[in-house]
Amino acid sequence: MRKMITVLTTLVLLLFGAASAFAVSPVTNTVSNIVNDPTFGITAAYTGQDADGKHRVQLSWNNRGSNVTSYTVYRYSTLYPWGGEVAAGCANLTTTSCEHVSTAYGQYGYVVRAYYQDGSVVQSKPAIVNIHKYSGSPATPVIYATEPVNGSFTVGFNLTSGNNADRWELKENGQGVLLSPNYTGSLIENGQQPQHASQSLNRPSGTYVYQVKLVNSYGTSLSSTITVIVP
């Protein structure tokens, strides 16, 4: 038993150490010779999706001077910051910009490394970019409401097709409804697949008018209004 506990403790310490190392330099396999410079910046801008499903990200970074022999950009998923890969089309460059094309989507971090004549390597701070499956503003949501029972009812929306949203908002008589933990509810987007969300409410007797707003990186859309009368 004591031997098993010792082995488990050793594994935990090794994993913790690896995670700590890559937290500083997410895409590094050998971190000892790489210096992370917070003043070294890179920008990443998602410019959209091609008809063939490929996503394009424009990247640019600071010029580090004439002692740099080349730059290489690395990309890592923010879900797995201890991994990473060279961004295709952005390796061994002498310029300070490139375009990365990929079919993958999600949230990614980009860093650039400057390789110097003396063998030293300096890595930039990361730039985070969200790459989506959708290709335009959200489709118009169809709002619905259930019949009130003892003041309790549900208001929600459906998308049967069209561009998904990242967030939704619910207006009640023109005012925002709290969608825990704030007034904007998070959604999982999946391109042009069906999407749905709802909110349970309890209200005193009265008349309530509701409207749903959807939001993604391209823009917004609004549902029609629906009226709920609580007896």
Side-chain angles (χ1 to χ4, degrees), residues 153 155 168-185 198-203 208-212:
F153 56 97
V155 178
W168 75 295
E169 300 172 11
L170 180 62
K171 300 290 186 181
E172 178 185 80
N173 296 336
Q175 302 298 314
V177 173
L178 185 64
L179 302 173
S180 184
N182 50 49
Y183 288 92
T184 300
S198 62
Q199 179 71 25
S200 296
L201 301 169
N202 187 277
R203 295 292 185 264
Y208 303 90
V209 179
Y210 294 96
Q211 187 174 37
V212 167

Side-chain angles (χ1 to χ4, degrees), residues 15-221:
L15 288 171
F16 177 78
S20 298
F22 290 126
V24 175
S25 184
V27 296
T28 287
N29 291 322
T30 55
V31 297
S32 58
N33 66 331
I34 296 176
V35 176
N36 289 276
D37 184 353
T39 67
F40 184 15
I42 182 173
T43 61
Y46 178 55
T47 57
Q49 184 179 14
D50 293 341
D52 59 2
K54 293 182 178 179
H55 302 280
R56 295 183 177 273
V57 177
Q58 293 289 338
L59 302 152
S60 61
W61 53 89
N62 304 138
N63 190 320
R64 299 288 293 189
S66 59
N67 289 328
V68 174
T69 59
S70 66
Y71 299 97
T72 294
V73 177
Y74 293 80
R75 185 184 76 165
Y76 63 94
S77 169
T78 56
L79 290 175
Y80 308 102
W82 54 85
E85 61 184 3
V86 174
C90 298
N92 302 316
L93 302 176
T94 56
T95 58
T96 57
S97 64
C98 65
E99 182 181 58
H100 181 225
V101 180
S102 170
T103 56
Y105 78 102
Q107 186 180 74
Y108 290 92
Y110 285 88
V111 295
V112 59
R113 291 179 188 166
Y115 294 85
Y116 286 81
Q117 294 174 2
D118 62 3
S120 60
V121 183
V122 176
Q123 181 167 283
S124 72
K125 61 183 179 182
I128 306 299
V129 64
N130 292 298
I131 301 174
H132 310 286
K133 275 190 172 182
Y134 53 70
S135 57
S137 297
T140 301
V142 177
I143 191 172
Y144 71 88
T146 61
E147 287 293 326
V149 177
N150 298 323
S152 295
F153 56 97
T154 297
V155 178
F157 77 89
N158 287 305
L159 286 182
T160 56
S161 62
N163 289 308
N164 282 192
D166 295 312
R167 305 185 306 279
W168 75 295
E169 300 172 11
L170 180 62
K171 300 290 186 181
E172 178 185 80
N173 296 336
Q175 302 298 314
V177 173
L178 185 64
L179 302 173
S180 184
N182 50 49
Y183 288 92
T184 300
S186 297
L187 299 170
I188 298 175
E189 71 95 357
N190 192 24
Q192 288 76 36
Q193 298 298 311
Q195 194 173 39
H196 164 80
S198 62
Q199 179 71 25
S200 296
L201 301 169
N202 187 277
R203 295 292 185 264
S205 296
T207 300
Y208 303 90
V209 179
Y210 294 96
Q211 187 174 37
V212 167
K213 179 181 180 180
L214 298 184
V215 183
N216 70 16
S217 295
Y218 286 89
T220 63
S221 64

